[in-house]
């Protein structure tokens, strides 16, 4: 007997009678659980749909959303119109959170390894068994807590507070992992202005935006926020601003810019310093800024002819950009992406962000806006991560048998670290006990002895302090909008449950039974403040309902203090980059970039995002390498040829995509594919570009220099049609509309 969806819903409303009918029709048990009126949220009225404000946490950042729920099922996600960071906008990545909730490969119960490590042989166990085993293994090693490593992603809000306090109480090693981190940018703002939090770049109110490598319309920093800003920037509100994108790759932001300027990889700092010198010499900057920065600029700026040679950008272009930036204030200079992912990343970012101080756009509308910390003391409001150098040392400790246990939650360092580090292998062969808190069997979870399924975002309590923020105090709330679909438990709840099993110092500053209780306790402090977007409630319960309905709380009057004068006393490091691989053997600069939809690969298991076309090539479900037409001719390759992209560290295969907007001597490959274990939609698709990257880092901060590897291209003799929305159409330059001018080697540039 076949049932339609409509019949299923009708019968499920009949309670026990319907259950009997379903049992005869062999409907899966999970359908009864999800649809049973007994189990659905208490405030659900049968037959009606309801919208709940909560959070989505895709790879592009945390978003406040409204979820349409009907019959206990989450049906659709939309942006929260009330939340100041998005104003009703949402991303494709946020919508795909629904697929994560109902994913067929989601881990349904705790698992214990029964076969060889990495073989994927597990048995299902109960939560009581899992927690007993976890507590026992931790107790075995607590005599020497420095041998226990806790690895998570960047965490803010209550969960960040709980995890940090748990690690502090036990004196565990705590690591925050992010394959593409913001270490260089964070270091600059910490050094120059004493800021722990990343600022907001007020693009919407700027007249001129000068971006060095920051692909903020695709995947850099907070793309949803900046796409909304970009719409206002181009709209009628403040007049049409001008956007200049400076980077070696033709990115989505470059495609939307008024002008794209190619600069040789890693030379953005030299270019920015030359622009600062032009502004200084012409006295077009802010008087205070020029006085404060004169010595630094004159010491670091190179002669213009040298700058031309190093950067590949003509002196006339540099001077025009400098004059335009100074004359069209308010304006803002932004740096990040490939410009920061170099061995001289800190120098590049220092030079770029110094431009804002030079023209006086720091702390002003249309410039750089600093954000205050969270309104509740001790709540984590900055999601800084550890640089690559820390994970290299951790891998060395694995190999030296100095780590007895690893707890990893929600990240996949076995996949997301450069291949030359052999991080996963070092962990597999040397760590006695690994526990993974994950919903999916990714490469790191596959190595675990114990797997504890986490709650999906739409099933759990939580909160967030947005970074970047809106320029004033703000916080967003996450509430469960559906019943748990599998037997998962929230990571924070598990840590708090361990307090009873482990005892001792774990109780310090962790008085809550679970994350819901912790979030409510912090909300009570907001209620006592009686200010901001939700106030004047006589009792806390009414206040609690009100902030849940609005998705959070914010206070437009609680802004950050006025910025201090920039401090440039610290050494920014070397001005020129170094690359892994000699130019004679490896003639191409490899320019990796996060996938527009899947980022660093953490959302590669979601088919909607696999099928979301890359905005430049329209390619899907594959790994391609973008090659300049002249280089393609020299190599005798064409679109669809399968080639090896080889570095001194290894090789991967990719399909050729001949792109007129790719600069000669460079090739670009997206991140995110090549998973060996991450569910049916990710496994075996494309190649992982991390495997060919060398583990080189910024010399000062230790941040991963993922744009500092050189490669060569070799034909395999095989061909396969590139899966792209363009079909068989080959990218080409329009007649009389040259998008790239081939450099003569001295003073060339793109237009």
């Amino acid at each position: 007997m076949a049932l339609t969806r409509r019949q299923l819903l009708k019968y499920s409303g009949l309670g026990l009678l319907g259950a009997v009918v379903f049992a005869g029709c062999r409907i899966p048990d999970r359908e009864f659980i999800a649809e049973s009126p007994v189990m659905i949220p208490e405030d659900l009225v049968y037959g009606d749909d309801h919208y709940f404000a909560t959070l989505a946490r895709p790879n592009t950042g945390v978003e406040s959303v409204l979820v349409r729920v009907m019959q206990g099922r989450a049906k659709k996600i939309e942006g929260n119109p009330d939340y100041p960071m998005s104003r009703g906008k949402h991303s494709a990545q946020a919508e795909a959170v629904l697929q994560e909730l109902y994913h067929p490969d989601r881990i349904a119960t705790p698992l214990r390894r029964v076969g060889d490590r990495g073989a994927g042989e597990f048995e299902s166990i109960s939560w009581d068994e899992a927690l007993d085993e976890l507590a026992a293994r931790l107790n075995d090693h607590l005599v020497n807590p420095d041998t226990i490593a806790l690895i998570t992603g960047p965490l803010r809000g209550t969960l960040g507070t709980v995890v940090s306090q748990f690690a502090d109480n036990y004196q565990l090693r705590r690591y925050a992992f992010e394959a593409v981190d913001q270490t260089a940018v964070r270091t600059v703002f910490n050094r120059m202005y004493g800021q722990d939090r990343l600022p907001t770049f007020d693009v919407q109110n700027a007249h001129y935006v000068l971006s060095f490598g920051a692909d903020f319309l695709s995947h850099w920093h907070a793309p949803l926020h900046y796409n909304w800003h970009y719409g206002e920037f181009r709209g009628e509100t403040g007049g049409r601003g001008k956007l200049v994108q400076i980077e070696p790759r033709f990115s989505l932001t470059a495609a939307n810019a008024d002008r794209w300027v190619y600069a040789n990889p890693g030379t953005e700092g030299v270019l920015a310093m030359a622009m600062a010198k032009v502004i200084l010499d012409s006295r077009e900057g802010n008087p205070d800024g020029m006085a404060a920065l004169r010595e630094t600029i004159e010491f670091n700026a190179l002669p213009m002819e040298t700058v031309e040679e190093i950067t590949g950008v003509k002196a006339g272009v540099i001077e025009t950009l400098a004059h335009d930036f100074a004359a069209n204030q308010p304006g803002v200079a932004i740096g990040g992406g490939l410009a920061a992912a170099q061995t001289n990343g800190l120098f590049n970012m220092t030079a770029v962000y110094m431009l804002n101080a030079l023209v006086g756009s720091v702390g002003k509308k249309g410039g750089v806006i600093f954000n205050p910390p969270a309104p509740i003391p001790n709540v984590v409001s900055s999601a800084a991560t550890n640089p690559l150098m820390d994970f290299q040392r951790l891998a060395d400790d694995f190999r030296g048998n100095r780590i007895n246990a690893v707890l990893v939650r929600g990240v996949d360092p076995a996949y997301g670290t450069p291949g030359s580090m052999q991080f996963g292998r070092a962990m597999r062969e040397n760590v006695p006990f690994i526990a993974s808190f994950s919903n999916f069997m990714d490469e790191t979870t596959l190595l675990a002895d114990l797997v504890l399924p986490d709650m999906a975002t739409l099933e759990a309590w939580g909160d967030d302090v947005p970074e970047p923020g809106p320029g004033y105090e703000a916080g967003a709330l996450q509430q469960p909008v559906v019943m748990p679909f599998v037997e998962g438990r929230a990571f924070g709840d598990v840590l708090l449950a361990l307090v009873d099993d482990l005892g001792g110092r774990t109780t310090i500053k962790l008085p809550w039974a679970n994350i819901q209780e912790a979030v409510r306790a912090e909300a009570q402090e907001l209620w006592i403040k009686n200010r901001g977007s939700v106030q004047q409630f006589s009792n806390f319960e009414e206040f609690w309902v009100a902030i849940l309905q609005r998705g959070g709380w914010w206070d437009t009057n609680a802004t950050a203090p006025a910025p201090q004068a920039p401090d440039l006393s610290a050494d920014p490091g070397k001005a020129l980059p170094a690359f892994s691989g000699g130019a004679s053997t490896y003639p191409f600069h490899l320019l990796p970039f996060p996938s527009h939809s899947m980022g660093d690969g953490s959302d590669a298991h979601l088919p909607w995002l696999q099928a979301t076309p890359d905005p430049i090539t329209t390619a899907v479900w594959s790994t391609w390498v973008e090659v300049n037409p002249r280089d393609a001719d020299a190599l005798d390759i064409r679109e669809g040829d399968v080639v090896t992209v080889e570095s001194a560290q290894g090789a991967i295969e990719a399909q050729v995509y001949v792109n007129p907007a790719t600069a000669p001597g460079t090739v670009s490959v997206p991140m995110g594919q090549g998973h060996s274990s991450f569910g049916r939609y990710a496994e075996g698709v494309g190649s992982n570009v991390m495997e060919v990257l060398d583990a080189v880092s910024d010399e000062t901060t230790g941040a991963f220099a993922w744009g500092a590897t050189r490669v060569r291209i070799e034909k395999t003799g095989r061909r396969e049609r590139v899966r792209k929305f363009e079909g068989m159409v080959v990218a080409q330059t329009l007649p009389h509309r040259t998008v790239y001018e081939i450099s003569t080697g001295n003073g060339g540039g793109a237009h």
Side-chain angles (χ1 to χ4, degrees):
M1 176 180 178
L3 281 180
T4 65
R5 177 72 175 165
R6 182 184 297 276
Q7 288 172 320
L8 175 66
L9 295 176
K10 176 182 177 182
Y11 292 147
S12 66
L14 298 178
L16 181 61
L17 176 60
V20 172
V21 172
F22 289 149
C25 300
R26 303 176 62 183
I27 299 297
D29 290 342
R30 64 176 181 274
E31 292 285 350
F32 293 114
I33 296 171
E35 299 292 348
S36 169
V38 178
M39 302 290 290
I40 58 180
E42 294 177 358
D43 55 346
L44 180 72
V45 178
Y46 174 72
D48 293 336
D49 55 356
H50 294 258
Y51 287 82
F52 296 91
T54 189
L55 298 180
R57 298 178 183 270
N59 68 80
T60 45
V62 182
E63 299 181 25
S64 182
V65 296
L66 301 182
V67 183
R68 178 182 177 232
V69 178
M70 190 169 185
Q71 291 297 101
R73 292 289 186 94
K75 301 291 186 181
K76 191 177 187 304
I77 287 180
E78 301 175 6
N80 180 355
D82 210 19
Y83 192 60
M85 291 303 296
S86 54
R87 305 289 176 87
K89 311 298 188 297
H90 71 288
S91 66
Q93 289 86 347
E95 294 213 26
V97 168
L98 291 175
Q99 289 194 320
E100 186 174 61
L101 178 66
Y102 301 122
H103 201 291
D105 297 327
R106 191 173 163 190
I107 298 171
T109 66
L111 301 174
R112 177 193 291 131
R113 179 173 64 85
V114 294
D116 293 337
R117 179 171 280 176
E121 298 176 8
F122 295 91
E123 65 176 358
S124 179
I125 59 176
S126 69
W127 267 103
D128 287 342
E129 291 176 290
L131 292 177
D132 288 345
E133 183 167 340
L134 178 63
R137 299 300 292 266
L138 290 179
N139 272 321
D140 287 343
H141 303 299
L142 278 178
V143 64
N144 190 2
D146 191 50
T147 65
I148 303 175
L150 174 58
I151 307 173
T152 71
L155 298 176
R156 300 188 296 262
T158 300
L159 183 58
T161 302
V162 168
V163 172
S164 296
Q165 193 60 51
F166 185 87
D168 289 346
N169 288 354
Y170 263 122
Q171 301 177 347
L172 309 182
R173 295 194 189 190
R174 168 80 197 286
Y175 297 87
F177 175 76
E178 196 172 36
V180 181
D181 62 71
Q182 304 289 340
T183 301
V185 178
R186 288 184 183 278
T187 303
V188 167
F189 281 99
N190 185 268
R191 284 182 168 191
M192 292 178 67
Y193 300 103
Q195 296 287 320
D196 292 328
R197 304 192 66 201
L198 289 173
T200 299
F201 306 108
D202 193 14
V203 171
Q204 66 168 331
N205 291 307
H207 293 168
Y208 198 96
V209 176
L210 196 56
S211 170
F212 294 77
D215 190 8
F216 61 84
L217 295 181
S218 177
H219 207 277
W220 184 78
H221 203 3
L224 175 65
H225 178 70
Y226 288 116
N227 269 277
W228 165 59
H229 266 231
Y230 178 76
E232 298 296 319
F233 173 74
R234 293 301 204 193
E236 298 178 355
T237 303
R240 189 183 189 281
K242 183 172 183 177
L243 169 62
V244 176
Q245 182 75 3
I246 301 171
E247 63 175 328
R249 178 178 175 267
F250 187 71
S251 64
L252 178 60
T253 304
N256 283 276
D258 297 282
R259 186 170 191 176
W260 169 49
V261 178
Y262 170 86
N264 290 329
T267 65
E268 292 86 352
V270 172
L271 180 60
M273 198 64 75
M275 294 173 60
K277 186 68 163 57
V278 171
I279 294 173
L280 185 69
D281 291 345
S282 61
R283 301 179 183 275
E284 294 176 303
N286 175 272
D288 292 337
M290 291 191 294
L293 301 173
R294 176 178 297 280
E295 184 177 344
T296 300
I297 294 170
E298 291 182 340
F299 179 79
N300 288 284
L302 299 174
M304 189 59 80
E305 58 271 20
T306 304
V307 175
E308 279 189 319
E309 183 178 357
I310 292 173
T311 65
V313 182
K314 295 177 180 177
V317 174
I318 298 171
E319 292 166 355
T320 298
L321 294 177
H323 293 312
D324 286 351
F325 180 62
N328 291 281
Q329 292 296 312
V332 61
I334 308 172
L338 278 167
Q342 305 290 340
T343 60
N344 63 335
L346 185 63
F347 178 88
N348 292 340
M349 294 301 96
T350 301
V352 169
Y353 288 111
M354 191 179 64
L355 289 171
N356 295 305
L358 186 62
V359 298
S361 64
V362 179
K364 294 183 179 178
K365 184 178 180 180
V368 180
I369 306 296
F370 292 132
N371 289 293
I376 307 301
N378 301 322
V379 172
V380 176
S381 56
S382 177
T385 55
N386 292 80
L388 179 72
M389 186 174 294
D390 288 349
F391 288 95
Q392 287 178 297
R393 292 169 179 154
L394 181 59
D396 290 339
D397 286 342
F398 290 163
R399 286 183 277 268
N401 297 313
R402 292 184 288 273
I403 298 295
N404 288 323
V406 171
L407 309 181
V408 57
R409 187 263 182 180
V411 291
D412 190 3
Y415 168 87
T417 47
S420 60
M421 280 177 59
Q422 295 288 302
F423 189 89
R425 180 178 178 180
M427 188 162 61
R428 182 183 70 239
E429 296 179 350
N430 301 284
V431 178
F433 176 69
I434 302 170
S436 176
F437 300 80
S438 174
N439 281 326
F440 295 93
M441 193 61 68
D442 58 28
E443 286 83 349
T444 302
T445 304
L446 191 67
L447 304 177
D449 303 285
L450 192 63
V451 180
L452 301 101
D454 204 348
M455 289 277 198
T457 305
L458 301 184
E459 298 169 333
W461 287 97
D463 58 8
D464 184 55
V465 181
E467 189 180 34
Y472 44 84
E473 290 181 352
L477 284 177
Q478 172 187 318
Q479 61 176 319
V481 301
V482 295
M483 296 300 294
F485 198 61
V486 299
E487 294 182 30
R489 290 194 185 181
F491 175 59
D493 290 353
V494 173
L495 291 187
L496 292 171
L498 283 173
V499 169
D500 293 333
D501 293 328
L502 301 178
R505 290 170 296 186
T506 56
T507 57
I508 299 174
K509 296 184 180 179
L510 292 176
W512 313 289
N514 51 50
I515 291 295
Q516 178 187 3
E517 190 176 301
V519 172
R520 279 178 57 91
E522 287 159 4
Q524 282 186 317
E525 294 192 43
L526 288 178
W527 172 62
I528 293 171
K529 290 180 181 294
N530 194 31
R531 61 178 172 85
S533 57
V534 181
Q535 57 179 295
Q536 297 183 349
F537 283 92
S538 58
N539 66 74
F540 170 71
E541 292 303 328
E542 292 180 358
F543 173 82
W544 175 245
V545 171
I547 59 174
L548 286 176
Q549 288 175 332
R550 297 192 67 174
W553 174 96
W554 45 92
D555 186 348
T556 56
N557 295 319
T559 57
Q564 64 186 40
D567 181 358
L568 289 166
S569 59
D571 180 11
K574 295 179 179 178
L576 299 181
F579 297 95
S580 172
S584 59
T585 306
Y586 303 102
F588 295 98
H589 285 285
L590 175 59
L591 308 178
F593 61 96
S595 162
H596 177 69
S597 58
M598 299 176 294
D600 59 5
S602 54
D603 280 348
H605 60 310
L606 305 179
W608 281 354
L609 301 184
Q610 284 277 6
T612 300
D614 175 75
I616 300 299
T617 64
T618 73
V620 297
W621 292 95
S622 61
T623 296
W624 64 94
V625 53
E626 299 172 15
V627 183
N628 179 270
R630 292 195 178 189
D631 289 334
D633 289 342
L635 294 167
D636 189 27
I637 55 177
R638 58 193 173 104
E639 181 175 306
D641 283 348
V642 178
V643 298
T644 59
V645 180
E646 183 178 0
S647 72
Q649 315 307 319
I652 60 170
E653 289 190 349
Q655 295 173 273
V656 171
Y657 181 86
V658 179
N659 186 355
T662 298
T666 71
V667 294
S668 298
V669 178
M671 301 176 183
Q673 299 285 25
H675 283 274
S676 59
S677 177
F678 199 17
R680 69 190 69 183
Y681 304 114
E683 293 173 14
V685 179
S687 301
N688 180 10
V689 71
M690 290 288 181
E691 294 178 7
V692 301
L693 299 184
D694 196 2
V696 291
S697 54
D698 175 77
E699 294 184 354
T700 306
T701 65
F704 185 19
W706 46 271
T709 299
R710 299 182 66 97
V711 297
R712 63 188 176 201
I713 304 294
E714 300 286 347
K715 298 170 62 175
T716 65
R718 292 183 282 117
R719 283 183 54 77
E720 184 179 346
R721 179 178 172 180
V722 178
R723 304 178 185 92
K724 57 190 176 75
F725 276 44
E726 289 175 344
M728 299 297 289
V729 176
V730 177
Q732 56 186 317
T733 305
L734 296 175
H736 312 297
R737 298 288 298 276
T738 303
V739 297
Y740 186 76
E741 178 182 289
I742 304 300
S743 171
T744 60
N746 183 18
H751 303 275

